[in-house]
Amino acid sequence: MDIISEIAQDFMGLFQAGGDTFVSWVTGIIPMVICLMTAINSIIKLIGEERVERVTRKATGNIITRYTIVPVLAVLFLGNPMCYTFGRFVEEKYKPAYYDSCVSFLHPVTGLFPHANAGELFVYMGIATGITTLGLSLGDLAIRYFIVGLIVILIRGVCTEKIYLYMVSKYKGTQSEEVAENV
Amino acid sequence: MYKSVKVNHGSGGWGGPLVLTPNEKTNKVLSVTGGGIHPIAALIAEMTGAEALDGFKTNAPDDEILVAVVDCGGTARCGVYPKKGIFTINLTPVGQAGPLAQYITEELYVSDVKESCISYSDEEASSPASATKAETPKAGAPKTKEQARKELSDMNTGKKPGIVTRIGIGVGKVVNKFFQAGRETIDMVIKNVLPFMAFTSTLLGIISASGLGDMIANTISPIASTLPGMLVISFICALPFLSPILGPGAVIAQVVGTLLGVEIGLGNIPAAYALPALFAINAQVGGDFVPVGLSLGEAEPETIELGVPAVLYSRVITGPLSVVIAFIFSIGMY
């Protein structure tokens, strides 16, 4: 009997540990996230999507702003997954690169603006709880994550753009060869 | 030559039944599942006489898609097609979930679909009605909205409201937006954040209480606490044949992130390594979503065809590179 009750005790212990973690997250993370998300969602509604679209259209022409300003505005104002729709303002040949740059910003943004991708918060939050456990402040990590994210999406955008254009030129090359052979 | 089929939801599923009736224009079954055309998509194509397409290799204009077959765990893909008014079959048992949950309706969406759920439709007569059903709101909704707006502005030009009324209306508008924002936030927390917390904390509890945690600490921590180790992790995550598998819902990145967070909290991984680690575990981000993301950006099918490999190849370079940049930026932190 003792053995059985001990097994039951251990079994419940597995979930007691999980429950403790759950409560610490719900009380520690959720209240701040809710207030922050509500505030930012309100600001977005007040500014309105049309105004953001106007700025975005202008920013698509330049290679630097195309992979910084456009994805950042799209992610901040539309969130995951509607941010990709801003791809329609970008020239056809830059669309894959825009997608890459946009999707790569969906996690760096969550440190400062969790509303943009609340469903995938734990890529950042998971690691951030470790920092909190150590008693360190999160501001430093969040802001650096944001800045590095910005640099990375620019590099990714440019890199993917070059690879895509290279692939297109090669693809077109082989196609015309085939045509030539057929003739 | 085209036949209608009826698709019911499976035992754990939701939505439907959908009646799919292809015609000369709308005759593509889009399989957005990764790893080629899913057998369910192939079966529907065979039964209806429509054409099955692999959404990862090619794409079709929205008005040619008869039905989209997805295997979404409830984050994004399951809502994208219903939002566009396209019939959607989800192979996983997911109901109205994700950020686009409001667009997932019983008329457009059915989940947990198995082969046994698909049958020829008995009533051929009812099928045209349901096929047009998907299109009517598409055409009808914006028109009525415009009309309503016009009516409203007509009404407003007729009379000049006093200053008090105008302030009242203005405040009301702002307050309403705040309230709406609050409701969206709570919705998001309940539908996405809390379920993930429940799942992860249960997993973490089992790992830490059962002693598995020590094993992980002994294997992952040494790798994740050196720069070369993290470069290897990011390189593996970015491999073009692995990244689409690791991507969905960022679930793997989230679980690994949480495990690393525990190790950082215990002091097994230096705190400054949090920043490069964030990039190392996430080189695959969105690798599963390229075709859907591109079609949301209204890209042509040809662009998607070459765009998917372009993004995946680029990650092999930019994945490890991002770790190096993050490593440089982590100097002086904590």
Side-chain angles (χ1 to χ4, degrees):
Chain A
M1 197 62 212
D2 281 353
I3 299 167
I4 294 172
S5 77
E6 203 161 290
I7 289 171
Q9 194 64 39
D10 284 350
F11 180 72
M12 284 189 288
L14 290 179
F15 302 104
Q16 188 56 47
D20 292 345
T21 316
F22 184 71
V23 168
S24 78
W25 285 347
V26 170
T27 55
I29 297 175
I30 289 193
M32 187 275 279
V33 168
I34 284 185
C35 293
L36 182 57
M37 271 170 65
T38 307
I40 295 175
N41 280 338
S42 319
I43 294 170
I44 289 167
K45 283 182 192 305
L46 289 173
I47 295 176
E49 224 174 277
E50 294 93 15
R51 271 179 221 156
V52 182
E53 279 185 14
R54 273 205 301 263
V55 178
T56 318
R57 273 174 201 278
K58 281 185 195 141
T60 54
N62 179 298
I63 190 166
I64 306 281
T65 54
R66 183 163 60 236
Y67 304 123
T68 51
I69 292 176
V70 183
V72 169
L73 286 179
V75 168
L76 279 181
F77 282 85
L78 302 182
N80 183 19
M82 294 320 287
C83 52
Y84 311 123
T85 56
F86 270 20
R88 68 183 187 273
F89 303 136
V90 180
E91 264 187 74
E92 190 67 33
K93 59 182 171 182
Y94 301 141
K95 279 179 183 175
Y98 168 75
Y99 167 81
D100 199 7
S101 137
C102 191
V103 78
S104 298
F105 201 61
L106 279 173
H107 296 119
V109 77
T110 51
L112 295 173
F113 303 102
H115 75 284
N117 195 8
E120 299 174 0
L121 212 52
F122 266 81
V123 177
Y124 169 76
M125 275 301 176
I127 285 186
T129 40
I131 303 290
T132 321
T133 317
L134 292 175
L136 300 166
S137 82
L138 279 183
D140 214 1
L141 180 64
I143 191 78
R144 283 176 200 238
Y145 193 23
F146 194 88
I147 294 170
V148 177
L150 211 57
I151 298 170
V152 167
I153 62 170
L154 174 61
I155 295 174
R156 257 188 203 160
V158 174
C159 185
T160 308
E161 181 184 310
K162 301 290 174 232
I163 291 178
Y164 176 73
L165 293 179
Y166 172 75
M167 284 171 68
V168 169
S169 65
K170 273 206 101 173
Y171 182 71
K172 274 188 185 153
T174 55
Q175 268 204 329
S176 56
E177 264 171 41
E178 273 169 29
V179 173
E181 276 168 21
N182 288 341
V183 169
Chain B
M1 66 186 262
Y2 292 125
K3 283 191 178 138
S4 335
V5 295
K6 190 171 169 191
V7 185
N8 287 308
H9 64 76
S11 53
W14 185 89
L18 304 181
V19 177
L20 307 172
T21 313
N23 56 38
E24 293 306 320
K25 186 148 191 260
T26 314
N27 57 9
K28 306 271 193 315
V29 177
L30 192 68
S31 175
V32 198
T33 49
I37 292 169
H38 194 274
I40 294 282
L43 178 71
I44 293 170
E46 192 194 318
M47 285 172 71
T48 55
E51 183 192 353
L53 290 178
D54 183 355
F56 278 77
K57 295 225 172 73
T58 169
N59 206 326
D62 289 350
D63 54 357
E64 285 181 29
I65 299 172
L66 170 68
V67 59
V69 179
V70 301
D71 60 346
C72 170
T75 31
R77 230 175 295 170
C78 58
V80 166
Y81 293 100
K83 184 172 190 294
K84 296 203 252 183
I86 296 171
F87 287 133
T88 304
I89 290 177
N90 197 347
L91 304 171
T92 56
V94 169
Q96 290 172 295
L100 300 176
Q102 73 219 66
Y103 299 103
I104 298 173
T105 60
E106 288 181 79
E107 284 83 19
L108 286 175
Y109 178 90
V110 59
S111 66
D112 197 22
V113 172
K114 310 267 183 297
E115 277 182 29
S116 57
C117 304
I118 303 165
S119 57
Y120 284 112
S121 154
D122 299 327
E123 310 146 282
E124 292 282 334
S126 74
S127 48
S130 63
T132 46
K133 207 191 270 174
E135 280 162 25
T136 35
K138 240 175 162 181
K143 211 176 188 180
T144 49
K145 210 174 178 184
E146 254 170 42
Q147 278 173 348
R149 219 175 265 165
K150 208 179 166 194
E151 274 172 23
L152 209 69
S153 64
D154 284 349
M155 263 159 59
N156 287 345
T157 46
K159 52 184 176 183
K160 279 183 192 154
I163 182 110
V164 179
T165 327
R166 272 198 306 222
I167 291 175
I169 292 171
V171 171
K173 258 188 195 161
V174 172
V175 170
N176 210 355
K177 281 185 174 152
F178 271 89
F179 178 62
Q180 187 62 34
R183 188 157 54 189
E184 275 176 24
T185 305
I186 296 293
D187 255 19
M188 192 59 144
V189 168
I190 290 176
K191 281 192 181 142
N192 292 305
V193 181
L194 278 174
F196 195 82
M197 282 185 170
F199 151 67
T200 324
S201 54
T202 309
L203 193 71
L204 268 187
I206 293 172
I207 287 174
S208 63
S210 65
L212 261 177
D214 299 333
M215 251 172 67
I216 292 168
N218 292 333
T219 51
I220 291 186
S221 303
I223 303 172
S225 56
T226 63
L227 181 59
M230 281 192 287
L231 286 175
V232 171
I233 295 176
S234 69
F235 179 73
I236 292 172
C237 291
L239 288 173
F241 57 90
L242 274 183
S243 50
I245 302 168
L246 293 173
V251 172
I252 291 173
Q254 293 189 86
V255 171
V256 175
T258 312
L259 290 176
L260 287 182
V262 173
E263 296 307 319
I264 290 171
L266 292 171
N268 293 334
I269 298 173
Y273 278 63
L275 188 60
L278 280 167
F279 287 92
I281 61 171
N282 211 15
Q284 76 280 13
V285 57
D288 61 311
F289 206 65
V290 194
V292 189
L294 279 173
S295 69
L296 278 173
E298 293 170 16
E300 300 292 332
E302 297 81 45
T303 313
I304 295 173
E305 214 167 297
L306 287 177
V308 175
V311 170
L312 296 184
Y313 294 154
S314 157
R315 288 298 170 82
V316 182
I317 304 165
T318 59
L321 188 62
S322 66
V323 176
V324 174
I325 297 168
F327 183 77
I328 294 166
F329 270 78
S330 73
I331 294 168
M333 184 172 71
Y334 305 124

